[in-house]
Structures are given as C-alpha cells and as structure tokens.
Amino acid sequence: MKQLKTIIATVLLAAFLAGPVMAQDKMEQKKETTKLKKHVCTAACKDGKHVYAHGEKGHKCGPECKKMMKKETK
C-alpha cells in the first residue's frame, strides 16, 4: 500500500512539473510558426520614423497593442 501511494505521488508530481514545460513548448512552437510580414509604410510613418503594425517585422507589442489584441479575441 505504501508503494502504491509513493507511485501515485510520483506520477502526480511529474505531471505537475511537466505542465508548465509543455505549455512553454507550445508557445515557442506558435512563435516559430508565426511569420512576420514585411513593413509597409502608412500615413502614420513620418520623417523617417516608422510605425510598425502588429505582425510586421520590427513591431514590439506594448500595452496599447495588448489591449487591442484582447478586444479582437472577444
């Protein structure tokens, strides 16, 4: 009986520890499969300063972008 409890505890611990690792792997795969588009200048680009849209090379998501992404997913 003691061995059975030890085996169950080991399996549960392994599953608990593997969960975040598996989630991280999925996120890395998603990043790899997402291809970025080439930047195309718009009216927002002025005086040599570019405004990159989400999904374009050079874009870095900030708080405003994250808010917009949350609205789009709803």
Side-chain angles (χ1 to χ4, degrees):
M1 188 69 171
K2 188 175 181 182
Q3 286 180 332
L4 181 61
K5 288 181 182 179
T6 305
I7 292 170
I8 292 172
T10 304
V11 169
L12 289 174
L13 180 62
F16 177 75
L17 294 175
V21 172
M22 294 170 82
Q24 185 177 6
D25 288 343
K26 287 181 182 179
M27 290 184 71
E28 287 176 6
Q29 287 175 352
K30 185 177 180 182
K31 285 181 183 177
E32 290 173 5
T33 59
T34 305
K35 294 195 177 193
L36 299 177
K37 299 178 223 168
K38 184 178 177 182
H39 172 68
V40 178
C41 288
T42 62
C45 299
K46 295 180 182 175
D47 299 324
K49 294 183 181 180
H50 298 281
V51 178
Y52 298 102
H54 185 78
E56 288 184 338
K57 290 181 182 178
H59 173 75
K60 294 182 181 170
C61 290
E64 292 298 318
C65 182
K66 290 179 183 177
K67 285 180 190 175
M68 290 175 63
M69 293 301 295
K70 285 182 183 177
K71 288 179 185 176
E72 288 178 8
T73 57
K74 287 183 180 181

